[in-house]
Amino acid sequence: MKTIEYEDIPRWYHLFWDRQAEGLFIRVHRFFLEKSEFKNWGPYFKGWDEKPSFLPLFDRCEPRLGQAFFGINDSIALVAQDAEWLTYRIKIPRVCFKSNSICARCLGKGKRDFYGDVCYSCDGKGTDTFLDSMQIDEVCYSLAVFLTALKFPLKDCDVDTPHKQLFTVTSMAKATSHGHSVGGYASPEFLRFLESLSMSYDDWVNLPSAVEVMKMVHCRLFGKVHAFDRFACYTRGGQIILDCPGDACQIHTEPDRRIGCGQGVGITCHNLDSAMQQLMLLAGMGEVTSLYDDWVESGKPLGPAVSKAEP
């Protein structure tokens, strides 16, 4: 079996952000679904005792071609297919809702006493909000199983595509600290793409379109983005780092790699605690995939999609 960390492998699946549809998608090659040993995806879900009540809902565990949905309560939906690829959309549900209770931070005044400006918790409305994470938990449980089954390429996965597999990722979905961690491997092709943007560790380059995607997902989840919410996506010398709101919450490629060595590298994360953070960062990674596709198809620099950054 080929190893993505050291070899360029034709793409058998990819996670991407569709700019027109404004959504996060996974596209899987029919060849993989027909030949893979991982046709019964249910066993990857069994044994997760975090929420046993999910088990009866997880009734679509086998990736039959043309299957309309996958996962818990249709969290991952088949939206398109052709002779080669099946495209699934990952649900991004709302998690923050208004209540009729008085805002606990400003006590219904709509302003902060000390500064006199608008209360950022209620946006000046004086009413509280509450979080309901049931739907997004269902999505992340389903996505964890989906990504696990896609992790390994086939021995003879000769997929006819000019595009290479950029990375593989697996994810967690547990209600604990670091319970939504993401890890995986980036391919040599992915690192060559990143090096084309920033050849030196002293040359920091922003990827603002990935930042905008993460903000879009945050807004869809919570209904707003605060001025103090920190987002970032930048590359330097073949390394990429994506940040979203949280305690230094990020996904990044491991830095222990020589520039131009022709090898891939591991993907890891830091303080990825919530399902919301996981979806934001994966969406940012999906936009980076779309930037790579732009790069391959145009054969030209990305131009306004990137900008110089300060460390």
Side-chain angles (χ1 to χ4, degrees):
M1 180 180 293
K2 292 185 176 181
T3 305
I4 189 173
E5 193 174 2
Y6 299 102
E7 301 171 89
D8 286 324
I9 305 174
R11 179 181 289 176
W12 71 92
Y13 89 91
H14 74 301
L15 179 78
F16 69 99
W17 180 264
D18 187 307
R19 296 157 185 162
Q20 184 174 0
E22 295 186 345
L24 183 61
F25 294 79
I26 293 181
R27 186 172 288 136
V28 186
H29 202 279
R30 285 184 182 273
F31 179 86
F32 181 88
L33 290 180
E34 291 168 351
K35 304 294 184 181
S36 175
E37 298 176 2
F38 301 101
K39 289 190 175 182
N40 182 9
W41 294 358
Y44 292 106
F45 190 77
K46 294 175 182 176
W48 291 10
D49 57 357
E50 197 66 36
K51 291 192 176 180
S53 59
F54 279 172
L55 284 169
L57 301 176
F58 205 94
D59 56 357
R60 298 180 175 93
C61 295
E62 187 173 340
R64 295 184 297 274
L65 296 181
Q67 183 179 349
F69 299 98
F70 178 87
I72 305 167
N73 286 334
D74 306 335
S75 296
I76 302 174
L78 178 66
V79 294
Q81 56 181 309
D82 55 30
E84 293 185 332
W85 298 92
L86 280 77
T87 304
Y88 295 84
R89 182 166 190 158
I90 300 166
K91 186 187 297 183
I92 303 176
R94 184 72 174 259
V95 298
C96 185
F97 301 91
K98 295 180 181 179
S99 74
N100 295 322
S101 303
I102 292 176
C103 176
R105 186 173 294 275
C106 68
L107 301 179
K109 298 175 184 178
K111 295 183 178 181
R112 292 188 292 169
D113 289 336
F114 185 76
Y115 297 101
D117 53 359
V118 173
C119 173
Y120 63 80
S121 289
C122 66
D123 288 332
K125 296 179 175 61
T127 54
D128 215 341
T129 58
F130 67 94
L131 296 180
D132 184 348
S133 65
M134 175 60 75
Q135 285 192 58
I136 197 169
D137 287 342
E138 293 173 349
V139 171
C140 288
Y141 270 76
S142 303
L143 185 58
V145 178
F146 203 97
L147 292 172
T148 298
L150 295 172
K151 180 178 179 181
F152 296 107
L154 303 176
K155 294 179 181 178
D156 53 351
C157 190
D158 187 15
V159 179
D160 184 18
T161 172
H163 300 277
K164 307 298 183 184
Q165 186 75 23
L166 294 189
F167 53 80
T168 59
V169 291
T170 54
S171 61
M172 294 174 57
K174 295 187 177 183
T176 61
S177 179
H178 308 289
H180 288 79
S181 295
V182 171
Y185 295 96
S187 69
E189 174 76 352
F190 190 36
L191 274 295
R192 283 193 291 271
F193 164 61
L194 296 177
E195 287 179 354
S196 75
L197 304 177
S198 170
M199 292 296 294
S200 167
Y201 282 115
D202 297 324
D203 188 18
W204 298 62
V205 174
N206 278 324
L207 302 179
S209 65
V211 171
E212 290 308 309
V213 164
M214 289 189 287
K215 287 182 177 180
M216 189 183 304
V217 173
H218 187 283
C219 194
R220 193 174 299 175
L221 294 169
F222 295 99
K224 58 186 176 182
V225 176
H226 289 116
F228 54 77
D229 287 330
R230 183 180 183 276
F231 298 86
C233 180
Y234 55 91
T235 180
R236 56 170 186 160
Q239 185 185 20
I240 191 166
I241 301 99
L242 297 94
D243 292 323
C244 75
D247 182 12
C249 180
Q250 63 177 224
I251 290 177
H252 59 89
T253 51
E254 295 175 350
D256 54 344
R257 175 184 178 276
R258 292 181 292 106
I259 298 172
C261 70
Q263 295 182 1
V265 72
I267 296 173
T268 188
C269 66
H270 185 263
N271 283 357
L272 221 173
D273 298 322
S274 75
M276 290 75 80
Q277 292 167 334
Q278 185 182 96
L279 278 190
M280 278 187 276
L281 291 172
L282 287 177
M285 287 288 288
E287 170 60 14
V288 177
T289 299
S290 296
L291 289 174
Y292 165 83
D293 288 345
D294 293 344
W295 181 67
V296 170
E297 292 166 9
S298 68
K300 299 178 181 179
L302 292 174
V306 302
S307 63
K308 297 295 182 181
E310 295 295 331

